[in-house]
Amino acid sequence: MKKLKSLVALKDKLQQVGDEDRSPTSPDRPLYIYKEEEREFPNDPLADQEAIDSIEEVYYKDDSWDPSKHELQKLHDGPEKLSLEDIDKDRNRLRRQLAAVSKKVSELVLENHPAYAQELQRVMDLETALQGANVICINGRRHLEIAKQGFTTASLGLLANQRKRSQLLGLMNSLRTIKTLQRTDVRLREMLEEEDYPGAIQLCLECQKAASIFRHYSCISDLSSKLQDTLEMIEEQLDVALSKTCNSFDAAHYEKVQTAYRLLGKTQTAMDQLHMHYASAIHNTAFQIVLGYVELCSGTGDTNFQKMQYKDLCTDKHIITESYIPCLMDLCKALWGVMNSYHKTMQWHELHDSTNQETAEAGLQFSTSDATSSINIEATFNQRYVKQKLEHGLARIWQDVQQKVKLYLLGTDLSVFKFDDFLHVLDLVNKLMLIGEEFCNSKSEGLQDSIRKQSINYFKNYHRSRMDELRMFLENEAWELCPVKSNFTILNLQEFKFLRRSGLVKKLSSAMSSPQSSPAKLAETRDRPGDAPQGFFVRYGDHGNPFDVHQDEDDGEDVMATNGYDEDEKEENTYADDDSDDSDVPEELKQDFVDEKTGETPVRRDSRKKYDKSRKFNNAPILTNTTLNVLRLFGKYMQMMNVLKPIAFDVVICMSQLFDYYLFSVYSFFATDLDLQSAAADWGLSNKLKTTLKRINDNLILPEDSMMPNLQQPVQQVEDRKDKVPFPHVSPVVDLTGTQNLYGLAERVVATESLVFLADQFEFLQPQLESVIPPAKKAFLQQFYSQTISTASELRRPVYRVVAAKSVVYDHILQLMANVKWDIKDIMSQHSSYVDVLLRELQVFSNKLDQVGRHVPIPQPVYNVLWEHCIRLANRTFVEGFASAKKCSNEGRALMQLDFQQFLMKLEKLTDLRPIPDREFVEVYVKAYYLTDADMERWIRDHREYSTKQLTGLVMCGVGSHINKKARQRLLATIEDMEKLKR
């Protein structure tokens, strides 16, 4: 471009100087020669354009480029032998190109010459204006110099000094700040020792900010890197401080740590680190506790237990039986501490998040800036992250705790433990599972499976030995009354103290202390909602430990009465001592007075009164030592059931077997010694009781012929025999044949009523049992209560019917009735003598009942059952005697009614039982004598309660006396048909 500009300038100059400057001797001769050379080429525009287009691109580069060097270089790079023709061609080509460019430039200059002249004129005008401005500037400077000398020199000097002073003050402040920064390291260390992490971080951040401001000082550059190292060291110590909160949570300490992380902007990172520390804390805590017991048990330092795995440490090779429970307790205590710390951590965040949320909402009401909104959004996001992280961490932490305890439980065989020790283990594990459920609503499947494996075999073996023990107790039981307090309940036993801790003990005790309390009322009382117990984290969150061993105030039990009586019952029972002093009175004076004219025996009202008192002399339950033992087993079983719900149903089955065997034993001892040919044999057991006894005999009782082991028996039969108990046999010391003791009535009362008491207690436990077994298994429990527990009171009838059948000689009464003539012609005003004999037998029975009642309380239901049996047997004796009559007249039938009415009148004075049982049984039979043959056939079909003999006697001796032989044969055929149907 410079070359072009120079060419244009030369062209203009050439036109200005005119023709005179074009002389050969002119300095512009090269241009003229150039022009002459231009004429060597023809004036062809197309050729000129082709020449311009053929110019190489390198010629259009910057002005510093040397074209001569370029052309020489081309020659140098060309062939080694140069041709003059080629060089000349290149020279002509360059000349042609130069001529074309010069021509083109000349044309351009000529075309733009008017514009150039006009612009040149403007330049000259500008030069004139600049000369005027120069004059003005000179004058202005002269005036400014005058002003400087006269006014501004002094003022500006003052300003300069002031500026220097300000700069020096700023420098002094900077130096002071630098000095403070230099001393910051010492203060940071002091704050870290004081655990003031927020203050240390705040100070370090402020120092970093100040260091960035003064980074232009060379001494600050090293300080910045040192502050960064210090900040990293603070983060490390902060992480250590965060890990300390896992084992022992301190709200003030944790608040400092969280504030420090918030200042660092690492709230989420803190949560991630916290969960890692909790996982490490659980592992390290469990390992150290088990390791300590292992080293203590080993007693030698030969083995390096530090390098062993936790699972290997938990085996019974390293943990001895004596140290198992203490180690488990310490393990649970330590893991509780970790879980409690985590729970407190969540509470702390919930409290502070709610406070921060209120503060943020209040701040938004007064500030709407984008910066404030952004900060609040970030804080809210952090809170959500922390909340979700903590909630998700609950299950993870409990899983780690559960895994540690599970490994410890499965590492030892618990079958060799004592029951109380095993129950203690279950109690600890169950308490830990309750804590886990409260901690994260977990059902603790891992712990349940592990402890269930340990418990099933242990409990089966334990129950098998307890059944054998119960058989031994029953076969050696003398069935003597065990003196207990009048307000005795199962809650007084030490084995049921876990129920006393439940908060319902006051309601249950008050309900059971009432004599009128029924099992249904007790169950209803127990089911009443009470005050809900507080959770573990509420009770032991700040102090104490749920696994600490506390000695309960009610651990002891006081169930035995003094000499069989309570203090408040001694006055009521003083008559018993008075009655015991008549041993010197002759037997004749003790006998009842008999009217010589009528043969009647007057009723001893004082005897009845004493008997009424004797039945009330003690409100205490009737039970034996064996009953107490079974109740204690119930308590132990329920403790295991309460702490280990997965095997609760198996425990319930075992409890039912204890009761079944007790019931079957009482029945076998006291209800099977009656002659089947006796008058009472026709009173069969109820269908429900028969079904229950058959079920027990088939499922629980081992046949006597299979007591000897048989090597040829299949394995399955051998296993089934293990779950069965041998047939029980009553103790030889129990006398069931003596007439003076009413055939062992005292023993029968104690045995039967203890069974009823046991059933009542079992019924009282029903709500508790239903609450621990699976819902699908409740049908079994309800069936057991409806078919077995309810039959306990029904066992009174077969047990006491033996006493009633043997105490009165009904066969002798039948013989006396057989001697009575029923075909009399006159209506008698005096009853038959057999009635007096029967009444005397019943009076003797009443006296013996009084004597038994002085030693063993006879409850009202027992009293009613005994008299009911006696009266039913007597009434059936009446009917049997009436049916034995060969001939009977209308006057004889009137005598039958007179005899029975006399019996009823005297009987009502002997017993309080109302109404008289089977009264209609006799009266309906006697009235049937007056029926016609048509009514008699219908009557026979409607009254199937009478035997064939009784119906036959009625036909032959009753209506048969006034009907024909054909009608009598028809009635006998009807009776025979009914007998076939019975078979």
Side-chain angles (χ1 to χ4, degrees), residues 753-788:
E753 298 311 306
S754 65
L755 175 65
V756 174
F757 177 77
L758 193 62
D760 292 341
Q761 302 308 304
F762 211 115
E763 190 170 355
F764 163 71
L765 296 174
Q766 182 177 2
Q768 178 69 18
L769 297 178
E770 288 182 348
S771 64
V772 295
I773 64 175
K777 303 296 184 179
K778 289 184 179 180
F780 167 82
L781 188 63
Q782 294 173 357
Q783 183 180 7
F784 176 75
Y785 273 96
S786 62
Q787 295 184 1
T788 304

Coordinates of all heavy atoms in Angstrom, one line a residue, residues 753-788:
E753 N -61.3 -78.9 93.1 CA -61.4 -77.4 93.2 C -60.1 -76.8 92.8 O -60.1 -75.6 92.4 CB -61.8 -77.0 94.6 CG -63.2 -77.6 95.0 CD -64.2 -77.3 94.0 OE1 -64.4 -76.1 93.6 OE2 -64.9 -78.2 93.5
S754 N -58.9 -77.5 93.1 CA -57.7 -76.9 92.6 C -57.7 -76.8 91.1 O -57.1 -75.9 90.5 CB -56.5 -77.7 93.1 OG -56.5 -79.0 92.6
L755 N -58.3 -77.9 90.4 CA -58.4 -77.8 89.0 C -59.3 -76.7 88.5 O -59.0 -76.0 87.5 CB -58.9 -79.2 88.5 CG -59.2 -79.3 87.0 CD1 -57.9 -79.2 86.2 CD2 -60.0 -80.6 86.6
V756 N -60.4 -76.5 89.2 CA -61.3 -75.4 88.9 C -60.5 -74.0 89.0 O -60.7 -73.1 88.2 CB -62.5 -75.4 89.7 CG1 -63.4 -74.2 89.5 CG2 -63.3 -76.7 89.4
F757 N -59.8 -73.9 90.1 CA -59.0 -72.7 90.4 C -58.0 -72.5 89.2 O -57.8 -71.4 88.7 CB -58.3 -72.8 91.7 CG -57.5 -71.6 92.0 CD1 -58.0 -70.3 92.4 CD2 -56.1 -71.6 91.9 CE1 -57.2 -69.2 92.7 CE2 -55.3 -70.5 92.1 CZ -55.8 -69.3 92.5
L758 N -57.3 -73.6 88.8 CA -56.4 -73.5 87.8 C -57.0 -73.1 86.5 O -56.5 -72.3 85.7 CB -55.7 -74.9 87.6 CG -54.4 -75.0 86.7 CD1 -53.3 -74.1 87.3 CD2 -54.0 -76.4 86.6
A759 N -58.3 -73.6 86.2 CA -59.0 -73.2 85.0 C -59.4 -71.7 85.1 O -59.3 -71.0 84.1 CB -60.2 -74.0 84.9
D760 N -59.8 -71.2 86.3 CA -60.1 -69.8 86.4 C -58.9 -68.9 86.1 O -59.0 -67.9 85.4 CB -60.6 -69.5 87.8 CG -62.0 -70.2 88.1 OD1 -62.6 -70.5 87.1 OD2 -62.3 -70.4 89.2
Q761 N -57.7 -69.4 86.6 CA -56.5 -68.6 86.4 C -56.1 -68.6 84.9 O -55.7 -67.6 84.3 CB -55.4 -69.1 87.2 CG -55.6 -69.1 88.7 CD -56.1 -67.7 89.2 OE1 -55.5 -66.7 89.0 NE2 -57.3 -67.7 89.8
F762 N -56.3 -69.8 84.3 CA -56.1 -69.9 82.8 C -57.0 -69.0 82.0 O -56.6 -68.4 81.1 CB -56.2 -71.3 82.4 CG -55.3 -71.7 81.3 CD1 -54.3 -72.7 81.4 CD2 -55.5 -71.2 80.0 CE1 -53.5 -73.0 80.4 CE2 -54.6 -71.5 79.0 CZ -53.7 -72.5 79.2
E763 N -58.3 -68.9 82.5 CA -59.2 -68.1 81.8 C -58.9 -66.6 82.0 O -59.1 -65.8 81.1 CB -60.6 -68.4 82.3 CG -61.7 -67.7 81.5 CD -63.1 -68.2 81.9 OE1 -63.2 -69.1 82.7 OE2 -64.1 -67.7 81.4
F764 N -58.4 -66.3 83.2 CA -58.0 -64.9 83.4 C -56.8 -64.5 82.5 O -56.7 -63.3 82.1 CB -57.5 -64.8 84.9 CG -56.7 -63.6 85.2 CD1 -57.3 -62.3 85.2 CD2 -55.3 -63.7 85.4 CE1 -56.5 -61.2 85.4 CE2 -54.6 -62.6 85.7 CZ -55.2 -61.3 85.7
L765 N -56.0 -65.5 82.1 CA -54.8 -65.2 81.3 C -55.2 -65.1 79.8 O -54.3 -64.9 79.0 CB -53.7 -66.2 81.5 CG -53.1 -66.3 82.9 CD1 -52.2 -67.5 83.0 CD2 -52.4 -65.0 83.2
Q766 N -56.4 -65.4 79.5 CA -56.8 -65.5 78.0 C -56.5 -64.2 77.3 O -56.0 -64.3 76.2 CB -58.3 -65.8 77.9 CG -58.8 -66.0 76.5 CD -60.2 -66.4 76.4 OE1 -60.9 -66.5 77.4 NE2 -60.7 -66.6 75.1
P767 N -56.9 -63.0 77.8 CA -56.5 -61.8 77.0 C -55.0 -61.6 76.7 O -54.6 -61.2 75.6 CB -57.1 -60.6 77.8 CG -58.1 -61.3 78.7 CD -57.6 -62.7 79.0
Q768 N -54.2 -62.0 77.7 CA -52.8 -61.9 77.6 C -52.3 -62.9 76.5 O -51.4 -62.6 75.7 CB -52.1 -62.1 78.9 CG -50.6 -62.1 78.9 CD -50.1 -60.7 78.6 OE1 -50.8 -59.7 78.8 NE2 -48.8 -60.6 78.2
L769 N -52.9 -64.1 76.6 CA -52.4 -65.1 75.6 C -52.9 -64.7 74.2 O -52.1 -64.9 73.2 CB -53.0 -66.4 76.0 CG -52.6 -67.0 77.3 CD1 -53.3 -68.4 77.5 CD2 -51.1 -67.2 77.3
E770 N -54.1 -64.2 74.0 CA -54.5 -63.8 72.7 C -53.7 -62.6 72.1 O -53.6 -62.5 70.9 CB -56.0 -63.4 72.8 CG -56.9 -64.6 73.0 CD -58.4 -64.1 73.0 OE1 -58.6 -62.9 73.1 OE2 -59.3 -65.0 72.9
S771 N -53.2 -61.8 73.0 CA -52.4 -60.6 72.5 C -51.1 -61.0 72.0 O -50.5 -60.1 71.3 CB -52.3 -59.6 73.7 OG -51.5 -60.1 74.7
V772 N -50.5 -62.2 72.3 CA -49.2 -62.5 71.8 C -49.1 -63.5 70.7 O -48.1 -63.7 70.1 CB -48.3 -63.0 73.0 CG1 -48.1 -61.8 74.0 CG2 -49.0 -64.2 73.7
I773 N -50.2 -64.3 70.5 CA -50.2 -65.3 69.5 C -50.7 -64.7 68.2 O -51.4 -63.7 68.2 CB -51.1 -66.5 69.9 CG1 -52.6 -66.1 70.0 CG2 -50.6 -67.1 71.1 CD1 -53.5 -67.3 70.2
P774 N -50.3 -65.3 67.0 CA -50.8 -64.7 65.7 C -52.3 -64.8 65.6 O -52.9 -65.6 66.2 CB -50.1 -65.6 64.7 CG -49.0 -66.3 65.5 CD -49.4 -66.4 66.9
P775 N -52.9 -63.8 64.9 CA -54.3 -63.8 64.8 C -54.9 -65.1 64.2 O -56.0 -65.5 64.5 CB -54.6 -62.6 63.8 CG -53.4 -61.7 64.0 CD -52.2 -62.6 64.3
A776 N -54.1 -65.7 63.3 CA -54.6 -66.9 62.6 C -54.7 -68.1 63.6 O -55.4 -69.1 63.4 CB -53.7 -67.3 61.5
K777 N -54.0 -68.0 64.8 CA -54.0 -69.1 65.7 C -54.9 -68.9 66.9 O -55.0 -69.7 67.8 CB -52.6 -69.3 66.3 CG -51.5 -69.5 65.3 CD -51.7 -70.8 64.6 CE -50.5 -71.1 63.6 NZ -50.7 -72.4 62.9
K778 N -55.7 -67.8 66.9 CA -56.6 -67.5 68.0 C -57.7 -68.5 68.0 O -58.3 -68.7 69.1 CB -57.1 -66.1 67.9 CG -56.0 -65.0 68.2 CD -56.6 -63.6 68.2 CE -55.5 -62.6 68.5 NZ -56.1 -61.2 68.5
A779 N -58.1 -69.1 66.8 CA -59.2 -70.0 66.8 C -58.9 -71.2 67.7 O -59.7 -71.8 68.4 CB -59.5 -70.5 65.4
F780 N -57.6 -71.7 67.7 CA -57.2 -72.8 68.5 C -57.4 -72.5 70.0 O -57.9 -73.3 70.8 CB -55.7 -73.2 68.2 CG -55.1 -74.1 69.3 CD1 -55.4 -75.5 69.2 CD2 -54.4 -73.6 70.3 CE1 -54.8 -76.3 70.1 CE2 -53.8 -74.4 71.3 CZ -54.1 -75.8 71.2
L781 N -56.9 -71.3 70.4 CA -57.0 -70.9 71.8 C -58.5 -70.8 72.2 O -58.9 -71.2 73.3 CB -56.3 -69.5 72.0 CG -56.2 -69.1 73.4 CD1 -55.3 -70.1 74.2 CD2 -55.5 -67.7 73.5
Q782 N -59.3 -70.2 71.4 CA -60.7 -70.1 71.7 C -61.4 -71.4 71.8 O -62.2 -71.7 72.7 CB -61.4 -69.2 70.7 CG -61.0 -67.8 70.7 CD -61.6 -67.0 69.5 OE1 -62.3 -67.5 68.7 NE2 -61.3 -65.7 69.5
Q783 N -61.0 -72.4 70.9 CA -61.5 -73.7 71.0 C -61.1 -74.4 72.3 O -61.8 -75.2 72.9 CB -61.1 -74.5 69.8 CG -61.7 -75.9 69.7 CD -61.2 -76.6 68.5 OE1 -60.4 -76.1 67.7 NE2 -61.8 -77.8 68.2
F784 N -59.8 -74.2 72.6 CA -59.3 -74.8 73.9 C -60.1 -74.3 75.1 O -60.5 -75.1 76.0 CB -57.8 -74.5 74.0 CG -57.2 -75.0 75.3 CD1 -57.0 -76.3 75.5 CD2 -56.9 -74.1 76.3 CE1 -56.4 -76.8 76.7 CE2 -56.4 -74.6 77.5 CZ -56.1 -75.9 77.7
Y785 N -60.4 -73.0 75.1 CA -61.1 -72.5 76.2 C -62.6 -73.0 76.3 O -63.1 -73.3 77.3 CB -61.1 -70.9 76.2 CG -59.9 -70.3 76.9 CD1 -58.8 -70.0 76.1 CD2 -59.9 -70.1 78.2 CE1 -57.7 -69.4 76.7 CE2 -58.8 -69.6 78.9 CZ -57.7 -69.2 78.1 OH -56.6 -68.7 78.7
S786 N -63.2 -73.1 75.1 CA -64.6 -73.5 75.1 C -64.8 -75.0 75.3 O -65.8 -75.4 75.8 CB -65.2 -73.0 73.7 OG -64.5 -73.7 72.6
Q787 N -63.8 -75.8 74.9 CA -63.9 -77.2 75.0 C -63.2 -77.9 76.1 O -63.5 -79.0 76.5 CB -63.5 -77.9 73.7 CG -64.3 -77.5 72.5 CD -63.9 -78.2 71.2 OE1 -63.0 -79.0 71.2 NE2 -64.6 -77.9 70.1
T788 N -62.2 -77.2 76.6 CA -61.4 -77.8 77.7 C -61.5 -77.1 79.0 O -61.8 -77.7 80.1 CB -59.9 -77.9 77.3 OG1 -59.8 -78.7 76.0 CG2 -59.1 -78.7 78.3

